[in-house]
PDB file of all heavy atoms in Angstrom:
ATOM      1  N   ILE A 207       5.911  49.179 249.759  1.00  0.00           N
ATOM      2  CA  ILE A 207       6.392  47.959 249.093  1.00  0.00           C
ATOM      3  C   ILE A 207       7.340  47.196 250.033  1.00  0.00           C
ATOM      4  O   ILE A 207       7.258  45.970 250.162  1.00  0.00           O
ATOM      5  CB  ILE A 207       7.108  48.322 247.791  1.00  0.00           C
ATOM      6  CG1 ILE A 207       6.096  48.944 246.804  1.00  0.00           C
ATOM      7  CG2 ILE A 207       7.793  47.108 247.161  1.00  0.00           C
ATOM      8  CD1 ILE A 207       6.737  49.592 245.602  1.00  0.00           C
ATOM      9  N   LEU A 208       8.218  47.924 250.688  1.00  0.00           N
ATOM     10  CA  LEU A 208       9.227  47.276 251.550  1.00  0.00           C
ATOM     11  C   LEU A 208       8.587  46.734 252.831  1.00  0.00           C
ATOM     12  O   LEU A 208       9.059  45.744 253.398  1.00  0.00           O
ATOM     13  CB  LEU A 208      10.363  48.234 251.864  1.00  0.00           C
ATOM     14  CG  LEU A 208      11.191  48.647 250.637  1.00  0.00           C
ATOM     15  CD1 LEU A 208      12.125  49.772 250.963  1.00  0.00           C
ATOM     16  CD2 LEU A 208      11.946  47.439 250.060  1.00  0.00           C
ATOM     17  N   GLU A 209       7.531  47.355 253.269  1.00  0.00           N
ATOM     18  CA  GLU A 209       6.779  46.793 254.419  1.00  0.00           C
ATOM     19  C   GLU A 209       6.210  45.441 254.077  1.00  0.00           C
ATOM     20  O   GLU A 209       6.129  44.540 254.948  1.00  0.00           O
ATOM     21  CB  GLU A 209       5.687  47.784 254.864  1.00  0.00           C
ATOM     22  CG  GLU A 209       6.201  48.950 255.711  1.00  0.00           C
ATOM     23  CD  GLU A 209       5.106  49.880 256.152  1.00  0.00           C
ATOM     24  OE1 GLU A 209       4.009  49.844 255.521  1.00  0.00           O
ATOM     25  OE2 GLU A 209       5.324  50.656 257.105  1.00  0.00           O
ATOM     26  N   LEU A 210       5.739  45.280 252.835  1.00  0.00           N
ATOM     27  CA  LEU A 210       5.279  43.984 252.389  1.00  0.00           C
ATOM     28  C   LEU A 210       6.369  42.920 252.544  1.00  0.00           C
ATOM     29  O   LEU A 210       6.103  41.826 252.995  1.00  0.00           O
ATOM     30  CB  LEU A 210       4.814  44.052 250.921  1.00  0.00           C
ATOM     31  CG  LEU A 210       4.482  42.701 250.260  1.00  0.00           C
ATOM     32  CD1 LEU A 210       3.305  42.042 250.948  1.00  0.00           C
ATOM     33  CD2 LEU A 210       4.213  42.870 248.764  1.00  0.00           C
ATOM     34  N   ASN A 211       7.594  43.306 252.215  1.00  0.00           N
ATOM     35  CA  ASN A 211       8.695  42.345 252.308  1.00  0.00           C
ATOM     36  C   ASN A 211       8.970  41.966 253.762  1.00  0.00           C
ATOM     37  O   ASN A 211       9.340  40.804 254.035  1.00  0.00           O
ATOM     38  CB  ASN A 211       9.966  42.968 251.689  1.00  0.00           C
ATOM     39  CG  ASN A 211      10.602  42.028 250.679  1.00  0.00           C
ATOM     40  OD1 ASN A 211      10.084  40.977 250.344  1.00  0.00           O
ATOM     41  ND2 ASN A 211      11.776  42.400 250.153  1.00  0.00           N
ATOM     42  N   THR A 212       8.842  42.899 254.678  1.00  0.00           N
ATOM     43  CA  THR A 212       9.057  42.554 256.096  1.00  0.00           C
ATOM     44  C   THR A 212       7.958  41.613 256.609  1.00  0.00           C
ATOM     45  O   THR A 212       8.185  40.787 257.498  1.00  0.00           O
ATOM     46  CB  THR A 212       9.104  43.801 256.966  1.00  0.00           C
ATOM     47  OG1 THR A 212       7.841  44.510 256.910  1.00  0.00           O
ATOM     48  CG2 THR A 212      10.230  44.709 256.555  1.00  0.00           C
ATOM     49  N   GLU A 213       6.759  41.752 256.045  1.00  0.00           N
ATOM     50  CA  GLU A 213       5.666  40.851 256.440  1.00  0.00           C
ATOM     51  C   GLU A 213       5.917  39.442 255.884  1.00  0.00           C
ATOM     52  O   GLU A 213       5.685  38.450 256.590  1.00  0.00           O
ATOM     53  CB  GLU A 213       4.351  41.379 255.886  1.00  0.00           C
ATOM     54  CG  GLU A 213       3.158  40.478 256.158  1.00  0.00           C
ATOM     55  CD  GLU A 213       1.891  40.948 255.472  1.00  0.00           C
ATOM     56  OE1 GLU A 213       1.821  42.154 255.053  1.00  0.00           O
ATOM     57  OE2 GLU A 213       0.973  40.121 255.285  1.00  0.00           O
ATOM     58  N   LEU A 214       6.425  39.379 254.664  1.00  0.00           N
ATOM     59  CA  LEU A 214       6.633  38.083 254.021  1.00  0.00           C
ATOM     60  C   LEU A 214       7.904  37.384 254.497  1.00  0.00           C
ATOM     61  O   LEU A 214       7.942  36.151 254.590  1.00  0.00           O
ATOM     62  CB  LEU A 214       6.734  38.253 252.500  1.00  0.00           C
ATOM     63  CG  LEU A 214       5.481  38.801 251.796  1.00  0.00           C
ATOM     64  CD1 LEU A 214       5.801  39.089 250.348  1.00  0.00           C
ATOM     65  CD2 LEU A 214       4.348  37.817 251.896  1.00  0.00           C
ATOM     66  N   HIS A 215       8.909  38.178 254.877  1.00  0.00           N
ATOM     67  CA  HIS A 215      10.222  37.643 255.251  1.00  0.00           C
ATOM     68  C   HIS A 215      10.727  38.299 256.533  1.00  0.00           C
ATOM     69  O   HIS A 215      11.730  39.011 256.514  1.00  0.00           O
ATOM     70  CB  HIS A 215      11.206  37.864 254.105  1.00  0.00           C
ATOM     71  CG  HIS A 215      10.700  37.381 252.742  1.00  0.00           C
ATOM     72  ND1 HIS A 215      10.645  36.055 252.413  1.00  0.00           N
ATOM     73  CD2 HIS A 215      10.225  38.096 251.707  1.00  0.00           C
ATOM     74  CE1 HIS A 215      10.151  35.960 251.183  1.00  0.00           C
ATOM     75  NE2 HIS A 215       9.896  37.154 250.734  1.00  0.00           N
ATOM     76  N   PRO A 216      10.025  38.089 257.622  1.00  0.00           N
ATOM     77  CA  PRO A 216      10.388  38.813 258.859  1.00  0.00           C
ATOM     78  C   PRO A 216      11.733  38.449 259.438  1.00  0.00           C
ATOM     79  O   PRO A 216      12.291  39.188 260.228  1.00  0.00           O
ATOM     80  CB  PRO A 216       9.257  38.394 259.838  1.00  0.00           C
ATOM     81  CG  PRO A 216       8.757  37.097 259.297  1.00  0.00           C
ATOM     82  CD  PRO A 216       8.891  37.196 257.820  1.00  0.00           C
ATOM     83  N   ASP A 217      12.316  37.322 259.037  1.00  0.00           N
ATOM     84  CA  ASP A 217      13.614  36.885 259.576  1.00  0.00           C
ATOM     85  C   ASP A 217      14.790  37.364 258.749  1.00  0.00           C
ATOM     86  O   ASP A 217      15.935  37.057 259.074  1.00  0.00           O
ATOM     87  CB  ASP A 217      13.660  35.364 259.680  1.00  0.00           C
ATOM     88  CG  ASP A 217      12.636  34.810 260.676  1.00  0.00           C
ATOM     89  OD1 ASP A 217      12.352  35.524 261.664  1.00  0.00           O
ATOM     90  OD2 ASP A 217      12.120  33.714 260.436  1.00  0.00           O
ATOM     91  N   SER A 218      14.527  38.113 257.701  1.00  0.00           N
ATOM     92  CA  SER A 218      15.610  38.594 256.836  1.00  0.00           C
ATOM     93  C   SER A 218      16.069  39.977 257.319  1.00  0.00           C
ATOM     94  O   SER A 218      15.262  40.928 257.312  1.00  0.00           O
ATOM     95  CB  SER A 218      15.108  38.683 255.384  1.00  0.00           C
ATOM     96  OG  SER A 218      16.040  39.386 254.592  1.00  0.00           O
ATOM     97  N   TRP A 219      17.323  40.101 257.654  1.00  0.00           N
ATOM     98  CA  TRP A 219      17.845  41.396 258.115  1.00  0.00           C
ATOM     99  C   TRP A 219      17.798  42.403 256.976  1.00  0.00           C
ATOM    100  O   TRP A 219      17.601  43.624 257.197  1.00  0.00           O
ATOM    101  CB  TRP A 219      19.274  41.257 258.648  1.00  0.00           C
ATOM    102  CG  TRP A 219      20.307  40.898 257.601  1.00  0.00           C
ATOM    103  CD1 TRP A 219      20.719  39.667 257.228  1.00  0.00           C
ATOM    104  CD2 TRP A 219      20.968  41.821 256.726  1.00  0.00           C
ATOM    105  NE1 TRP A 219      21.639  39.741 256.226  1.00  0.00           N
ATOM    106  CE2 TRP A 219      21.816  41.056 255.874  1.00  0.00           C
ATOM    107  CE3 TRP A 219      20.959  43.231 256.578  1.00  0.00           C
ATOM    108  CZ2 TRP A 219      22.614  41.641 254.891  1.00  0.00           C
ATOM    109  CZ3 TRP A 219      21.760  43.784 255.598  1.00  0.00           C
ATOM    110  CH2 TRP A 219      22.583  42.998 254.766  1.00  0.00           C
ATOM    111  N   ASN A 220      17.976  41.950 255.737  1.00  0.00           N
ATOM    112  CA  ASN A 220      18.063  42.862 254.609  1.00  0.00           C
ATOM    113  C   ASN A 220      16.765  43.634 254.384  1.00  0.00           C
ATOM    114  O   ASN A 220      16.777  44.794 254.039  1.00  0.00           O
ATOM    115  CB  ASN A 220      18.466  42.110 253.350  1.00  0.00           C
ATOM    116  CG  ASN A 220      18.749  43.068 252.199  1.00  0.00           C
ATOM    117  OD1 ASN A 220      19.614  43.913 252.309  1.00  0.00           O
ATOM    118  ND2 ASN A 220      18.073  42.877 251.083  1.00  0.00           N
ATOM    119  N   VAL A 221      15.624  42.956 254.554  1.00  0.00           N
ATOM    120  CA  VAL A 221      14.363  43.651 254.317  1.00  0.00           C
ATOM    121  C   VAL A 221      14.129  44.744 255.347  1.00  0.00           C
ATOM    122  O   VAL A 221      13.612  45.810 255.013  1.00  0.00           O
ATOM    123  CB  VAL A 221      13.176  42.663 254.288  1.00  0.00           C
ATOM    124  CG1 VAL A 221      13.390  41.614 253.196  1.00  0.00           C
ATOM    125  CG2 VAL A 221      12.934  42.002 255.631  1.00  0.00           C
ATOM    126  N   TRP A 222      14.562  44.526 256.570  1.00  0.00           N
ATOM    127  CA  TRP A 222      14.406  45.551 257.609  1.00  0.00           C
ATOM    128  C   TRP A 222      15.404  46.713 257.372  1.00  0.00           C
ATOM    129  O   TRP A 222      15.037  47.906 257.589  1.00  0.00           O
ATOM    130  CB  TRP A 222      14.614  44.940 258.976  1.00  0.00           C
ATOM    131  CG  TRP A 222      13.549  43.961 259.347  1.00  0.00           C
ATOM    132  CD1 TRP A 222      13.622  42.592 259.320  1.00  0.00           C
ATOM    133  CD2 TRP A 222      12.224  44.273 259.779  1.00  0.00           C
ATOM    134  NE1 TRP A 222      12.420  42.044 259.668  1.00  0.00           N
ATOM    135  CE2 TRP A 222      11.563  43.023 259.968  1.00  0.00           C
ATOM    136  CE3 TRP A 222      11.529  45.482 259.998  1.00  0.00           C
ATOM    137  CZ2 TRP A 222      10.225  42.981 260.418  1.00  0.00           C
ATOM    138  CZ3 TRP A 222      10.212  45.395 260.424  1.00  0.00           C
ATOM    139  CH2 TRP A 222       9.566  44.197 260.644  1.00  0.00           C
ATOM    140  N   ASP A 223      16.594  46.350 256.902  1.00  0.00           N
ATOM    141  CA  ASP A 223      17.574  47.399 256.600  1.00  0.00           C
ATOM    142  C   ASP A 223      17.077  48.294 255.479  1.00  0.00           C
ATOM    143  O   ASP A 223      17.196  49.521 255.528  1.00  0.00           O
ATOM    144  CB  ASP A 223      18.889  46.743 256.202  1.00  0.00           C
ATOM    145  CG  ASP A 223      19.963  47.730 255.839  1.00  0.00           C
ATOM    146  OD1 ASP A 223      20.516  48.377 256.778  1.00  0.00           O
ATOM    147  OD2 ASP A 223      20.238  47.937 254.630  1.00  0.00           O
TER     148      ASP A 223
END
Side-chain angles (χ1 to χ4, degrees):
I207 296 168
L208 295 170
E209 281 181 341
L210 171 64
N211 231 7
T212 62
E213 176 187 342
L214 297 172
H215 309 285
D217 296 328
S218 169
W219 67 267
N220 188 56
V221 301
W222 294 101
D223 180 75

